C-alpha cells in the first residue's frame, strides 16, 4: 500500500480528528474512505457527462434519431405485452372503463 503525506489546515484537521473519534476508526481509514467516495463521485460525474454528450450528439443527428424512433416503435408492442403480463392481463385485453378498476391500482 502506498503512503501519502499531506498538510491540512488546522480546522480541517480538528474536524478529521473529531470524525475519527466519533467513528472509532483511525484517521487514515476516514481519509481513505473520503478519497474513495470522492473519486467514485468524480468518475460517475465524468461518465454521466460523456453519456449526456453522446445522447445530445445522437439526438441532433436526424438519421440516427429517425432510426432510434423506428426501433422504439417496433419494440412498443412487445413492451405493451410484457406490461400486460406483469399486471396479470392477457395480451391485448382492454380494460372495462365501467369496472371502476383504476389502471394504477
Amino acid at each position: 500500500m502506498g503512503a501519502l503525506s499531506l498538510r491540512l489546515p488546522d480546522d480541517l484537521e480538528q474536524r478529521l480528528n473529531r470524525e475519527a473519534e466519533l467513528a472509532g476508526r483511525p484517521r487514515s481509514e476516514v481519509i481513505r474512505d473520503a478519497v474513495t467516495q470522492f473519486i467514485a463521485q468524480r468518475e460517475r460525474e465524468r461518465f454521466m457527462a460523456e453519456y449526456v454528450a453522446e445522447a445530445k450528439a445522437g439526438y441532433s443527428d436526424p438519421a440516427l434519431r429517425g432510426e432510434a424512433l423506428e426501433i422504439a416503435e417496433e419494440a412498443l408492442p412487445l413492451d405493451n405485452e410484457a406490461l400486460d403480463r406483469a399486471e396479470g392481463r392477457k395480451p391485448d385485453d382492454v380494460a372495462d372503463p365501467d369496472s371502476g378498476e383504476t389502471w394504477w391500482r
Side-chain angles (χ1 to χ4, degrees):
M1 184 179 302
L4 177 68
S5 174
L6 73 137
R7 297 184 188 278
L8 298 173
D10 291 339
D11 63 320
L12 185 54
E13 183 180 15
Q14 290 171 359
R15 291 170 58 199
L16 172 61
N17 290 338
R18 178 77 174 138
E19 182 59 34
E21 183 181 313
L22 289 172
R25 300 170 55 208
R27 292 181 342 159
S28 60
E29 283 185 21
V30 174
I31 293 169
R32 249 191 315 275
D33 286 350
V35 170
T36 300
Q37 289 176 8
F38 175 78
I39 291 173
Q41 177 184 344
R42 295 297 301 260
E43 289 171 341
R44 278 191 305 274
E45 289 170 357
R46 274 193 294 278
F47 171 78
M48 289 305 296
E50 291 172 12
Y51 186 78
V52 168
E54 287 292 324
K56 285 181 179 179
Y59 188 77
S60 64
D61 179 345
L64 186 57
R65 187 170 174 213
E67 184 179 341
L69 288 172
E70 287 176 18
I71 292 170
E73 288 173 4
E74 289 173 9
L76 187 59
L78 298 174
D79 288 345
N80 289 340
E81 180 181 344
L83 181 61
D84 285 341
R85 290 176 189 261
E87 292 181 348
R89 291 188 305 268
K90 294 179 182 170
D92 300 324
D93 276 356
V94 177
D96 179 7
D98 297 327
S99 70
E101 182 179 333
T102 56
W103 62 269
W104 61 84
R105 293 181 219 206

